[in-house]
Every structure is written in C-alpha cells, then in structure tokens.
Amino acid sequence: LVFRRPGWQAICIFASPRYDFETMKHRVLVIDDDPTFCRMLEGFLQRKGMEAEGVFSGEEALNLLQKKTFDIILSDYRLPEKDGIDLLDEIREEHGSIPFIIMTSYADIRIAVRAMKLGAFDYVTKPVNPDEILLSINNAITQQQTANSQSADVPGKKPTMVVKPNPGNGYLEGQGPMSKILQEHIELVAPTNISVLIQGESGSGKEYVAKRIHDLSKRSSRPFISIDCGALSKELAASELFGHIKGSFTGAITDKTGQFEAAKGGTLFLDEIGNLSYEIQIQLLRALQERKVRKIGSNHDVEVDVRILTATNEDLIEAVKRGDFREDLYHRLNEFRILVPSLKQRPEDIAAFCKAFLQLANQELDKHLQSFDEEVLDIFSKYTWPGNLRELRNVIRRAALLSKGEVVLKEALPAEIIEESYFSANKVGDVSSATDLKSVAGKTERDLIIQTLTKVNFNKSKAAQLLKIDRKTLYNKMKQYNIE
Ligand SMILES: Nc1ncnc2c1ncn2[C@@H]1O[C@H](COP(=O)(O)OP(=O)(O)OP(=O)(O)O)[C@@H](O)[C@H]1O
Ligand SMILES: [Mg+2]
C-alpha cells in the first residue's frame, strides 16, 4: 500500500503482523485540513480494525468530542484558525488528557518539541509513514491503559494520564565527558534520600534519569511513581497526591489512596513541577517538612516515607521571582540539582546511542538493520537535535522503517536534518574572533546568504531578489564563500 500526495515522497506500508488491531477497536479521531489525506488516513486506520473518524478543523473536532469519546487523537499541526497546539490545550482543559499525537513536517520539529512539553504523547513527521503511526498509536494506548490501572480517578471525572507508566527501560549512560559527569552525579545522589531537581531540555532524558536514580537507590524494590503535574487539574491535585475519604466532596464515592501513600518506601517523581498551583505547593511543602500527609476530609495525618524527585524544563528561579513558585519549596526540592546535558553537548555519545536505538527499532519493527552509513553518522554529528534523545530515537525508528537493506542510508533521513546539518557545519565562526573589518563583513554576508537560501528553500532567484542582488552576483558570492 502506498500513500501518495503531491510533493510528497511515496511511502510504502510494510504489512506487519505486529500491528493487527482487529480485536482492539480503538476509537481514533483524525484531524487534518487536507480532505484527501484525512480520508485516506481514516480509511487506512479503519482497515486496521480501528474506529477512525476524520474531521477537517479544530472546531469540528471539539464539536465531535462533545458527543463522542475517543481513545486517541491524531492531529495535524497546521490547521486553519486553531493550530494543533491550541487544540491540544483546549482538549486537555475540557476532556482530560486523551493521548494526542501531533503530525508536523520536519521543518516544524521545534513545534513538535513544544507540543510534547505541553503534553502531546508523541509526534510523527510528515510525510506520514503509516507504520510509524500505528506504532505510535499502539504505544499511546498501551501506556494509557497502564496509567489508568495505576491511577484511580474520581468517578464521574474525565480520565487523566496523571500517573505515567514506568519509563527507563534500556537506560543508556553514554561515555563522553558530559555523560560521565551526569553519571557521577546520579551515582553520588542515588543512595541518599536527598530531593533532586532534574533540569534539562525537552527530550533530554529527565524522566529516564529520575528512574535511574530510583533504580540505583535502596528504594529500588519499592514503587517508582511518576506524576505529570501538568496534567493535574486544580481540583484533583490534592486528591491525587494526598488521597481523600469517601464523601469529602461531591464525587468522592470511595476512599482514595494518594500517590504519596502509594509510593510508600519508594520514589515519587513529580514531573513539570512548575505547574503546581500555589495551594498545592503549600501542602507539598508541609508533606516534605513533616513527612506526613492528610487525606482530604480526614482529621488524621498519615506518616509517609517517600523520596521526592522533580523535573522541569522551566526556569524555576524565574518562577520564584515572578511569585509563581514558592521559594521555600524550591529550596526543599533543590537539595541537589542535576543538569541533563542536551544531545548537542554529548557528541561523543551519538554513535553509541544510534546503535542502541537501532537495536530497539529492529525489535519494535521486526527488522534486521545492522549499521549506519558513515555519511549518516556524519550528518547526525552536525545536526542540532532540538528534541534531543527523543528526536534521535524517533529519527532512527523512522529511518529503520524506510530502510530496505542492512545499512541505514542518508536517503532514509528527513531532508531537513540533512540540510540543517550541512548549514550548521558550514556556519561562519564567531564574529567576535575576527580581527579585521573585511572578514567581519564577509562572515555576515555569508551568513545572510545561507539564511536567505534556507528561507526560500534554495530557490536562487528568490534569494537573489530578497538580497537585492542579481542572480549572477549571488552565484559568484556562493562560489566565493564556498556555499554549495
Ligand atoms: N538515558 C537514556 N537511555 C535511553 N533512552 C533515553 C535516555 N534518555 C532519554 N531517552 C529516550 O528519550 C525519550 C525521552 O526521554 P524522557 O522522557 O526521559 O525525556 P524528558 O527530558 O523527560 O522529556 P520532556 O521534557 O518532554 O518531559 C525516552 O522515551 C527515551 O526513548
Ligand atoms: Mg519528561
């Protein structure tokens, strides 16, 4: 089966027995303003045994969600009026966190990263590879099921993915200097009960680090519970964290054990900590200081023995300055801080990470790829990886899907990675290091030409127009500055 679309490369679907959805009947909402594509995806998912329904705009999606329940949402980023991120925000507000997969072109990878920060489950890049979509849907649904079995919500409320299933399988350490420092810090702090604040860019592995700390601690045989504070609604946060007793508020029809109690003897990982409301911050501070929690509606304190790890990619000091985050709580949580390096800061590790992710992709996709072409590794080493390890894993998974032989070739990579890596490798050095005016001017000129060419997708006539020079001059300058 082939998905074809004007200007898109054709993509083959590999008939894989792993993705037989016959018996599952997942309800999938597809949102894409391109009617042909939307219908095609809808039809494809239906043929895979799902109940798929396609709509062409965010408004239509919101209307449909009022009437019907879906297990998963697959949305394009570029939609008329409301874009995919606004839509994700609105759906989360009104319907809890239904797993949301965003589809973007690779040029919008930074948007995909932002969407993940805001709670999207995953992203897939266009041109869409249907096998990749099936894999992502499958992962989302499995995670949601595990999460729901761990987190008993208040009856009558929309389900939320507050408690996330355990991450951290196949933790990779890396051998480069930044990874060694990270590893030293993890090993230093793991055996203690110190609260650790884990900071790092999106997709750099904060949650993996948290799980690693737990696994290397004396608490490793006890639970590791991961809570997404971004998904905690104001009304449910206290109940989720501290529990409630039957009848303490409308809807509390049974007693509920909070996650502090559930994590007894183990580790509680509070992700996106910057999102906690002020009242919850106060209660959390009390729990940490007194090592006691009180269920909503109860008169008794319960002793808790929990180690707290937190993560954020927000600048919490700024949040403290703005008055959004309590300073006393900040210091409590930040007894030790771990900075997870970005992938760009760990270039020595890329080859080893690639190898491990390729093995993972082989397992997931039933493939037998052995290695990467030198050129691919070279491109990877020059690319900036805004989505860090998550992006690397996804790029490799996708490349594995597209590869036919045993070696991953450049052709299996998104064009944007190839282009960006080329330009970042040919970037002019720091202007401040130049000593004469002429070379500064030359560097600025070269940079501008490269930027403009990228902006117009390498259309030289357009670039010349924007730069207000004729085509011939542009060609000469490209030659002079060694721009191919
Ligand atoms: N040390 C690691 N070993 C193996 N895989 C990793 C590691 N760190 C990250 N990954 C991969 O990257 C993905 C993202 O990692 P993780 O969820 O820990 O990042 P994060 O920093 O918490 O991201 P976000 O900012 O979006 O919350 C993981 O699902 C995993 O595939
Ligand atoms: Mg995270």
Side-chain angles (χ1 to χ4, degrees):
L1 181 60
V2 173
F3 271 18
R4 212 182 280 276
R5 197 182 164 177
W8 283 19
Q9 71 201 78
I11 304 276
C12 294
I13 300 173
F14 308 100
S16 162
R18 276 165 175 258
Y19 312 124
D20 183 8
F21 285 79
E22 265 337 303
T23 50
M24 298 185 209
K25 278 280 173 209
H26 300 310
R27 293 158 300 181
V28 187
L29 174 59
V30 178
I31 311 158
D32 199 304
D33 59 327
D34 175 342
T36 320
F37 176 73
C38 190
R39 289 286 167 251
M40 201 156 54
L41 194 51
E42 184 189 66
F44 168 73
L45 296 175
Q46 283 166 353
R47 282 195 297 286
K48 288 284 160 184
M50 289 177 238
E51 259 180 55
E53 204 161 329
V55 293
F56 307 143
S57 71
E59 278 312 319
E60 277 180 82
L62 289 166
N63 286 339
L64 192 58
L65 281 163
Q66 296 296 343
K67 295 178 224 140
K68 280 182 86 169
T69 314
F70 287 90
D71 300 312
I72 192 150
I73 297 171
L74 210 59
S75 172
D76 189 21
Y77 167 66
R78 286 181 191 274
L79 291 169
E81 288 150 33
K82 236 180 228 75
D83 67 32
I85 290 192
D86 292 341
L87 188 62
L88 164 67
D89 224 26
E90 216 162 305
I91 291 176
R92 268 188 95 148
E93 233 357 70
E94 287 184 27
H95 303 277
S97 41
I98 307 170
F100 192 100
I101 298 172
I102 198 150
M103 301 182 279
T104 60
S105 69
Y106 218 96
D108 290 333
I109 185 73
R110 283 175 178 79
I111 287 162
V113 169
R114 193 151 63 86
M116 300 280 301
K117 270 188 205 163
L118 294 171
F121 171 79
D122 200 0
Y123 67 85
V124 289
T125 47
K126 286 182 162 184
V128 163
N129 181 312
D131 241 3
E132 190 184 4
I133 286 203
L134 289 183
L135 190 66
S136 188
I137 291 179
N138 196 14
N139 288 343
I141 291 194
T142 322
Q143 284 215 13
Q144 180 79 32
Q145 280 164 350
T146 322
N148 285 348
S149 67
Q150 286 179 16
S151 163
D153 279 314
V154 173
K157 290 280 170 188
K158 301 280 181 323
T160 52
M161 199 156 27
V162 168
V163 179
K164 299 185 281 179
N166 278 357
N169 290 333
Y171 181 88
L172 302 170
E173 278 181 15
Q175 293 301 318
M178 293 300 273
S179 303
K180 287 216 169 105
I181 296 174
L182 174 66
Q183 196 51 30
E184 272 166 26
H185 286 177
I186 291 174
E187 281 168 14
L188 186 73
V189 83
T192 70
N193 271 332
I194 287 176
S195 302
V196 186
L197 175 65
I198 305 165
Q199 286 182 303
E201 285 182 12
S202 179
S204 57
K206 297 182 290 297
E207 192 160 357
Y208 264 55
V209 165
K211 180 64 173 20
R212 187 68 172 167
I213 293 175
H214 171 78
D215 286 344
L216 296 178
S217 77
K218 293 182 202 108
R219 298 171 174 266
S220 60
S221 60
R222 308 293 305 160
F224 173 85
I225 295 184
S226 170
I227 297 189
D228 180 357
C229 298
L232 278 177
S233 68
K234 251 191 190 154
E235 27 165 10
L236 282 186
S239 153
E240 189 64 42
L241 291 173
F242 311 117
H244 64 244
I245 56 170
K246 187 176 158 183
S248 53
F249 56 90
T250 324
I253 49 173
T254 50
D255 284 358
K256 177 178 161 73
T257 307
Q259 299 302 344
F260 260 87
E261 264 189 88
K264 196 171 167 191
T267 307
L268 197 57
F269 172 55
L270 303 174
D271 202 0
E272 300 301 343
I273 186 77
N275 288 322
L276 283 185
S277 72
Y278 210 74
E279 293 113 71
I280 296 295
Q281 290 178 30
I282 297 172
Q283 293 178 46
L284 180 60
L285 183 66
R286 177 177 178 262
L288 294 177
Q289 281 171 339
E290 298 175 18
R291 307 215 159 265
K292 282 178 194 154
V293 295
R294 186 174 288 193
K295 284 184 174 175
I296 302 176
S298 163
N299 301 322
H300 305 289
D301 288 338
V302 186
E303 300 245 341
V304 284
D305 167 25
V306 174
R307 199 241 185 113
I308 302 287
L309 304 176
T310 47
T312 176
N313 44 29
E314 214 185 298
D315 185 349
L316 275 190
I317 296 179
E318 268 307 306
V320 167
K321 278 189 198 148
R322 284 199 310 271
D324 292 339
F325 204 84
R326 287 184 67 103
E327 191 171 358
D328 42 10
L329 179 61
Y330 171 73
H331 291 301
R332 270 273 160 187
L333 298 173
N334 185 21
E335 288 173 339
F336 190 87
R337 187 153 57 117
I338 287 190
L339 279 175
V340 185
S342 66
L343 189 52
K344 194 74 203 144
Q345 293 171 307
R346 328 164 81 168
E348 305 83 359
D349 296 329
I350 289 186
F353 287 170
C354 284
K355 209 169 148 199
F357 287 145
L358 189 63
Q359 272 172 12
L360 203 67
N362 277 337
Q363 280 165 20
E364 277 182 325
L365 309 166
D366 218 1
K367 290 265 192 167
H368 304 281
L369 285 145
Q370 300 295 323
S371 59
F372 295 88
D373 191 63
E374 274 302 314
E375 209 180 356
V376 170
L377 291 175
D378 186 51
I379 290 168
F380 282 176
S381 71
K382 288 172 184 150
Y383 180 60
T384 49
W385 300 110
N388 293 294
L389 267 78
R390 178 183 293 115
E391 187 183 3
L392 179 64
R393 188 203 56 189
N394 285 359
V395 164
I396 291 178
R397 190 172 69 185
R398 191 164 203 281
L401 271 171
L402 295 176
S403 297
K404 299 227 167 56
E406 291 195 334
V407 180
V408 177
L409 302 173
K410 181 177 157 190
E411 287 65 42
L413 304 183
E416 289 78 0
I417 288 200
I418 302 175
E419 282 156 20
E420 206 221 82
S421 68
Y422 170 77
F423 285 120
S424 66
N426 286 279
K427 243 189 214 141
V428 183
D430 187 2
V431 166
S432 60
S433 65
T435 48
D436 61 290
L437 250 183
K438 210 171 157 194
S439 72
V440 173
K443 279 169 182 166
T444 315
E445 197 169 82
R446 186 177 187 273
D447 265 355
L448 186 65
I449 293 174
I450 291 176
Q451 265 173 29
T452 314
L453 278 167
T454 318
K455 198 153 75 191
V456 298
N457 226 352
F458 309 96
N459 181 326
K460 295 185 194 78
S461 307
K462 269 196 201 155
Q465 233 174 20
L466 285 175
L467 291 163
K468 297 202 170 69
I469 50 177
D470 58 38
R471 266 170 65 103
K472 183 129 195 301
T473 317
L474 177 62
Y475 277 114
N476 288 340
K477 288 202 180 286
M478 284 173 68
K479 212 162 154 195
Q480 177 191 347
Y481 295 129
N482 208 9
I483 304 171
E484 280 170 30

